[in-house]
Amino acid sequence: PLPARDNQAPELVIEWSKEDCLTLLERIRSLLPDGDAMKYKTTESHFDWEKVCFGSFTGDMCRQKWQKVSSEVRKYRTMTELIVDAIEFVKNPYKGKKLKTHPDFPKKPLTPYFRFFMEKRAKYAKIHPEMSNLDLTKILSKKYKELPEKKKQKYITEFQREKEEFEKNMARFKEDHPELIEERKKSDLPEKPKTPQQLWYNHEKKTYMKLHPEVSQKELKEALRRQWSQLSDKRRLKWISKALELQKDYEDSMKAYHEAHPDVNSEDHVRSVLTKAERQLKDKFDGRPTKPPPNGYSLYCAELMVNMKDVPSTERMVLCSKQWKMMTQKEKDMFQKRCEQKKKQYDIDLQRFLEVRHKPLLFYYESGQIIERCREAEPEPWVPAGSPKERRDGKKTAKLPETPKTAEEMWQHSVIGDYLAKYRSDRRKAQAAMEAAWKSMEKKEKIPWIKKAAEDQKRYERELSEMRTPVAGQGQRKPKFDGEPKKPPVSGYQMFSQELLTNGELNHFSLKERMVEIGKRWHKLSQNQKDKYKKLVEEQQVEYKAELEAWVKSLSPQDRAVYKEFSSSVSFLFSLFNIFVHGSLPFGLAALKIICH
């Protein structure tokens, strides 16, 4: 009992045991309504605490104890749900974030800098009593940085000794209190790929910490962030390439995971690990052409913004929009025309880039010519090479003509700049406004655009027919002879490709995707399986050679002369092909260069 104060009766202090607290919570739960959907505060304010009291605990004492216990748990749910958290807290008050308040939890060692700070703070506070804590911290931080390595080593050694002791104590604490340690459930999802900066950070972190053992996590991150921003493009490209490789592995792992777990829906793997600047750097290094602006208005803004570096970014688009509105239609059309030219040039440059960037080539012997094709490229009909000049220029089969546009698309193309300026480059609003405007237009206004669309359709059909018509003087093909033996595959990979393409297993893929899938499956084969295909090809080649000799002998003298005329260079080119496939590739390329010139 406590002594009475100010003539008040002495107040008895009754201790609440763990069992008493759990009894209290169970009594509260039994009095809660079945369909409790009200807010916590509403339920508590209407609660009859006199019905809760038990033993020597009055209703008021029960209410006060409940308020103390409930202050430790979340209150954004109903009281019925809250009681579950309260029971869990009473059973284990140190679980989760409260773990460090446990009396047995080991104390973390002070870093070398804080040791120095705690040792010198009282001394400097006496010397400079007018200084605030912040000013004292700045002075001591500077003093510590200026400290000689020998004196600094004293604090570092003490820190490392206590750190080892802390780790041992922590391991002991986990053994003694396993119920307090929350084990996170390990997900079987593949680990997400890291960005180039994260990969570099993990690589450099250990080295930096060895040189600066006293550094804090915040200082470490800031120092490495500065180093990354100053990293040369060449060194940065190394980590960009590594990040892309890891992303590809992650995407393959995710495909396998989704096949094994079809019910799981996760689209996280779609996101790229590269920032826009890193992607541009990679494209620049690869030689990929820069994509031009989508329309005349965007081109005008891009050119205008070059001289707007001092203007705040929020005001640039507003100024561009105002300037664009002041221009005449003729000037706007000029920008649109320039944009179209840039797009056409970009298509040409991109096509060249993709052709050069092909994966390892396969060489095929066909009609007296060596033809090169990419393993993952879309199959194309065999076309004899053109003149030596065309071969030197690297020209290939023509692209399909541009798809014809509808009348509405043509009209939208001509006014897109005005609508983007009106809606401040908001494409969605601009598109919706254009569609509404087209629907509300009278037929008379639409007629000029309908005529233009019809002309564009004729242009498309004309270019398509011209493309299909063989070019005069392109070089004659070898005539077809009845009974000529069919050429077998020239490599194990070609035989493997033909098997997959003919059995219909890949029919659900597009043509390009089929070749990609074949390439992947070929790489997964063991060397023994690849050697088996190679052996089959060699056997078929021997049979084909014998059949061809017998067939040539069966031809009439006239047909044999024509056949030999078109096959005069067969033996030389076939040996050159063998150099490519089985011998020295650089030597074979050099020989082919000599022939072309």
Side-chain angles (χ1 to χ4, degrees), residues 80-108:
T80 303
E81 294 168 324
L82 192 65
I83 207 83
V84 178
D85 278 0
I87 292 167
E88 186 62 33
F89 169 73
V90 169
K91 285 180 180 177
N92 193 347
Y94 298 109
K95 201 169 183 179
K97 292 180 181 179
K98 302 266 181 188
L99 183 64
K100 291 181 183 180
T101 63
H102 194 283
D104 298 338
F105 192 84
K107 192 179 178 183
K108 238 181 176 182

Side-chain angles (χ1 to χ4, degrees), residues 3-22:
R5 289 183 185 178
D6 301 329
N7 299 321
Q8 286 184 5
E11 189 179 309
L12 289 174
V13 177
I14 301 172
E15 290 292 331
W16 285 79
S17 67
K18 186 177 179 179
E19 288 72 23
D20 290 335
C21 290
L22 289 172

Side-chain angles (χ1 to χ4, degrees), residues 160-368:
Q160 287 173 343
R161 179 174 51 78
E162 286 189 18
K163 188 183 176 185
E164 287 174 11
E165 195 178 330
F166 167 76
E167 286 169 356
K168 286 177 186 175
N169 292 338
M170 192 66 199
R172 198 179 300 116
F173 177 81
K174 286 179 180 178
E175 286 176 13
D176 295 344
H177 305 280
E179 74 284 355
L180 299 178
I181 309 300
E182 289 182 354
E183 288 188 11
R184 292 183 181 177
K185 290 182 181 179
K186 289 185 179 179
S187 172
D188 54 351
L189 267 171
E191 188 185 354
K192 288 183 183 180
K194 289 182 169 57
T195 65
Q197 188 173 356
Q198 287 170 337
L199 291 172
W200 178 84
Y201 177 86
N202 291 342
H203 181 265
E204 295 292 321
K205 183 181 174 182
K206 290 178 183 177
T207 312
Y208 192 89
M209 287 188 79
K210 279 181 184 178
L211 296 170
H212 309 87
E214 75 286 355
V215 73
S216 67
Q217 284 296 315
K218 188 178 179 182
E219 289 170 338
L220 173 69
K221 285 180 181 178
E222 183 59 29
L224 291 178
R225 187 192 63 76
R226 282 198 302 269
Q227 284 186 25
W228 172 259
S229 64
Q230 293 164 8
L231 211 65
S232 65
D233 287 349
K234 191 176 180 182
R235 288 185 66 193
R236 199 174 292 200
L237 276 163
K238 171 190 167 184
W239 298 102
I240 289 171
S241 302
K242 197 169 184 178
L244 288 172
E245 285 173 20
L246 292 172
Q247 186 180 22
K248 190 176 183 301
D249 293 342
Y250 172 74
E251 286 171 358
D252 293 340
S253 303
M254 282 301 292
K255 282 179 185 174
Y257 179 82
H258 281 297
E259 285 173 10
H261 306 82
D263 299 334
V264 178
N265 185 22
S266 174
E267 297 297 329
D268 294 342
H269 62 286
V270 176
R271 192 176 175 184
S272 174
V273 291
L274 302 187
T275 61
K276 188 179 178 181
E278 287 165 350
R279 171 55 64 192
Q280 286 172 348
L281 178 62
K282 183 75 171 70
D283 289 345
K284 184 183 176 182
F285 175 77
D286 292 342
R288 182 185 284 271
T290 307
K291 197 171 184 179
N295 50 61
Y297 174 67
S298 299
L299 176 63
Y300 173 75
C301 290
E303 290 180 358
L304 197 63
M305 281 185 187
V306 175
N307 303 317
M308 283 185 162
K309 290 178 182 176
D310 299 330
V311 180
S313 57
T314 52
E315 295 176 19
R316 288 177 194 173
M317 289 309 297
V318 177
L319 287 171
C320 288
S321 176
K322 286 178 181 177
Q323 293 282 347
W324 177 261
K325 286 175 182 177
M326 289 166 68
M327 290 171 69
T328 62
Q329 189 59 43
K330 192 176 180 181
E331 288 172 323
K332 290 177 183 178
D333 291 342
M334 184 184 72
F335 273 98
Q336 187 62 40
K337 190 177 179 182
R338 278 179 58 205
C339 184
E340 293 299 327
Q341 289 169 350
K342 283 181 180 286
K343 281 183 183 177
K344 285 178 183 176
Q345 188 59 45
Y346 169 74
D347 289 341
I348 295 164
D349 293 343
L350 184 63
Q351 187 68 22
R352 285 177 185 164
F353 166 76
L354 294 172
E355 286 169 2
V356 171
R357 201 165 167 260
H358 275 335
K359 297 200 174 176
L361 297 173
L362 290 176
F363 294 87
Y364 294 89
Y365 180 77
E366 182 77 8
S367 304

